[in-house]
Amino acid sequence: MRPVFALVDCNNFYASCEKLFRPDLRHAPVVVLSNNDGCVVARSKEAKALGIKMGVPVHKIQEQIQQHGVQVFSSNYALYGDISNRVMQTLEALAPAVEVYSIDEAFLDLTGVANAVDLTEFGLQVRATIQQHIGMTVCVGIAPSKTLAKLANHAAKQYPATRGVVDLTDPIRQKKLLSLMPVSEVWGVGRKLSERLNAMGITTALDLASQNPKDIRQKFSVVLERTVRELNGESCLALEDIIPTKQQILCSRSFGQRVTRYADMHEAISSYVARAAEKLRHEQQQCQLISVYIRTGLFNPNDPRYSNSASLRLDYPTDDTRVLLNAAGRLLQAIWKDGYRYAKAGITLSDFYDRGVVQPDLFTQQVISPNSARLMQVVDRINQQQRGKVFFASQGTGKAWAMNRNHLSPGYTTSWTQLRVVQ
DNA sequence: TCTGGGGTCCTAGGACCC
DNA sequence: TCTGGGGTCCTAGGACCC
């Protein structure tokens, strides 16, 4: 049976989440900022209509914000994550198989569904159900490959006449849409590839689809070859409904204010390590490689620039925050230089092993603290109830480096103390 | 003054092995 | 004049995604 995929994607997801609990803002322009209140990462349709661009630094559009009463929000990931879960759970109930692709989109496997119901009708039903249950508007793209489903979804968003659903299973419709889409809109074609393709005279999605896959593989890569095949309706990317285990965990932040003191940087790095280790244990994994990275700002021409990173392979895999803090401290010492104004730092954990499969040898055995697992468990359990309730001394209490979140909305659905009150 | 964070995959090149 | 060849593994860096 020929595969059929649907891509369900929430409209203006972060901005829509902010509007959910603020009916007074239903028709207001809303933007959501990146961490540290840096740049715009989401816009409501009213904000898009004002010409506010994706990714623009917020300080460059202050005037517009004032003039049009644009509502500004800091990123509230607790809220977005919770709304996302609700959307995904609803989809699970509607489709035979679901792949959660990102916080605001999912692929559905609709293979065989066409035998029972009209696909466009099905899409409209999905849309109506999500709208009713969660209050979130989604668009649905349906096609024989994921790449085409992405494109169909894009069309559903772009053209209101579609009522938010585009069924692209018909090859004639495929061709027509492909000819209208710039190649840069194709999933997997980013800025660099667009430039190279345009230089070769390949400007529309149809141009790319008409290329010989073998040639494309030779000139570019297997990835783009797959894209060409997918654009021709040949499914090369399967639905991945089993969540693969992570291969790395990152924690990095820009600072609310520039960091110049070693002690502050050490606090920040320690806090990132603690957070990453928590995620690592949540994944039931242990890691053997840790790296630390620091850098100054990128944009002020008067500030001298410096960036560096260092990594360390541990003697044995661990998920013990204390071991990782120790390693990170040594790495930071190795790359720290006085006299710079640091803007950002981060840490990466990688080289993962399943917890429990590690065989300690005669020598490392003595190093592993016997109470490690239990201690970490207790720490995690306490912090699950209230994040940051217990922490390691090196994380500090000053937090002079903490990121800006000056426009944060309440945790409407994730905090008992911040529930919406109806009067 | 102020410009995000968290991921994956592929490739090229070097080290190393026989 | 001629100075092996084939393979694997690892890492860094680039490109892409949302």
Side-chain angles (χ1 to χ4, degrees), chain A residues 172-186:
Chain A
I172 295 169
R173 289 196 81 190
Q174 284 172 23
K175 275 218 154 166
K176 192 171 167 210
L177 182 63
L178 287 174
S179 71
L180 292 173
M181 286 286 176
V183 72
S184 56
E185 293 294 344
V186 174

Side-chain angles (χ1 to χ4, degrees), chain A residues 244-285:
Chain A
T245 51
K246 282 194 203 306
Q247 303 195 29
Q248 57 176 21
I249 292 172
L250 288 88
C251 191
S252 71
R253 294 279 182 285
S254 297
F255 303 127
Q257 289 163 15
R258 295 287 190 260
V259 164
T260 53
R261 294 173 45 215
Y262 180 83
D264 289 335
M265 181 66 90
H266 189 245
E267 265 186 37
I269 290 286
S270 297
S271 299
Y272 303 162
V273 167
R275 178 72 189 120
E278 198 175 75
K279 291 189 207 168
L280 180 68
R281 292 190 291 272
H282 186 249
E283 294 280 319
Q284 317 266 332
Q285 298 281 304

